[in-house]
Amino acid sequence: MASAAAQPRGAADASDGDCPEARAKVERLEGRITPNACAFMKRQITFGELPTGTPPAPGDLEHPRVQAYLDIFDKDATLWEAGAEPQRGRDVIGASIAGSLRLVPDLRYRGTDVVADNSSVMFGQWNEVTLKGRTVAYPQIARNVLGDDGKTIQARRYYDRYVLFRDTLPKDVPKALFHGVEDSGPVPSGAPVEPEPFRAAEIPDRLAAWNDEDVDALLTRAPDARLSGPGLAEPLVTQAGKRAYLKRFFDRADVRFKAGQVTIGATTTYVEWHGTVSGEKGENIPFGIVERFGPDGAWELYFDTLPLVATGDQITTLFQKLAQP
């Protein structure tokens, strides 16, 4: 990708002088970079770059990397991870990251597309971990609402846990949700027509489209967009391919969403939907999606497919097997 400094910007976007420490560490930084947003991003980057060293003992909140993680959060913060109820307070959040670092002590990430809007930051990142001798890489959106000091008050994480098991436990993991979905039919010719920037006024209709499983409405907003999402090796460019992807999702997922945070930059907008999902694998499971509308007709979805293909007990068993030597 091009460097963040090379991206075009609008009047409301950040200047290169806003938070240069963070700008130098991410691929693209847009939006309103207030002092609290800058403080948060620097803490987020510090944790991503800090080596774990000796993994923390269970519940060790004094481990240096656990401390670096906790430095991101307010003492009364909540953190929602895929498929679970929110974690509340630094002790619970600290114990959780200690467990994660025991499983993947080499966890590392770099900032990708980051958009800040005063007290809200969508921090796109590319994660890499080693599991059972394999390097596993996957995108994630860290969505944070900040206090005046830049500490996170409320956080949600959007990523697909299925990729942790796809190659590490191939005999145990269920079939991927989007297995066999691919482009078909006429391929658009020429450059895509850039959609209009996302507006706050669109939120009610967009929310209704997700809750009503209205594939046509979801596609109409950006008909020429390239759709990227969990389970796709390459973006989908044909109408038939994108329609098949969304129909497969709705065949397995009955979502009940509310509108979340929206962050708007010069070229990139993130829109969050959160609530529950029900299907054959469970009822009223905490669930959410982040949409990213980016330059050159990019439309990206971030969500967890695992609760749509495995029950809670099956997911627990998969993680237990993953932790075994």
Side-chain angles (χ1 to χ4, degrees), residues 146-213:
L146 312 174
D148 290 344
D149 58 358
K151 299 278 189 176
T152 293
I153 298 171
Q154 186 192 64
R156 296 193 182 108
R157 304 287 186 254
Y158 293 89
Y159 59 98
D160 186 16
R161 293 179 295 167
Y162 186 89
V163 300
L164 303 176
F165 308 102
R166 181 183 57 207
D167 297 325
T168 56
L169 296 172
K171 296 181 179 180
D172 299 295
V173 70
K175 181 186 292 186
L177 176 64
F178 298 108
H179 177 77
V181 172
E182 58 187 15
D183 273 319
S184 61
V187 176
S189 59
V193 176
E194 198 74 15
E196 290 294 318
F198 191 90
R199 309 287 185 186
E202 297 180 56
I203 291 174
D205 288 344
R206 192 74 179 173
L207 175 61
W210 280 109
N211 284 333
D212 294 343
E213 304 184 5

Side-chain angles (χ1 to χ4, degrees), residues 100-175:
S100 296
L101 292 174
R102 288 178 61 79
L103 177 65
V104 285
D106 69 337
L107 167 66
R108 56 203 177 275
Y109 60 75
R110 55 180 171 80
T112 53
D113 287 282
V114 181
V115 179
D117 194 349
N118 297 322
S119 62
S120 177
V121 178
M122 293 284 195
F123 193 94
Q125 58 192 65
W126 184 254
N127 297 349
E128 292 187 4
V129 298
T130 302
L131 288 164
K132 293 191 175 297
R134 292 179 175 270
T135 297
V136 179
Y138 56 97
Q140 174 179 308
I141 302 299
R143 170 275 206 200
N144 292 265
V145 175
L146 312 174
D148 290 344
D149 58 358
K151 299 278 189 176
T152 293
I153 298 171
Q154 186 192 64
R156 296 193 182 108
R157 304 287 186 254
Y158 293 89
Y159 59 98
D160 186 16
R161 293 179 295 167
Y162 186 89
V163 300
L164 303 176
F165 308 102
R166 181 183 57 207
D167 297 325
T168 56
L169 296 172
K171 296 181 179 180
D172 299 295
V173 70
K175 181 186 292 186

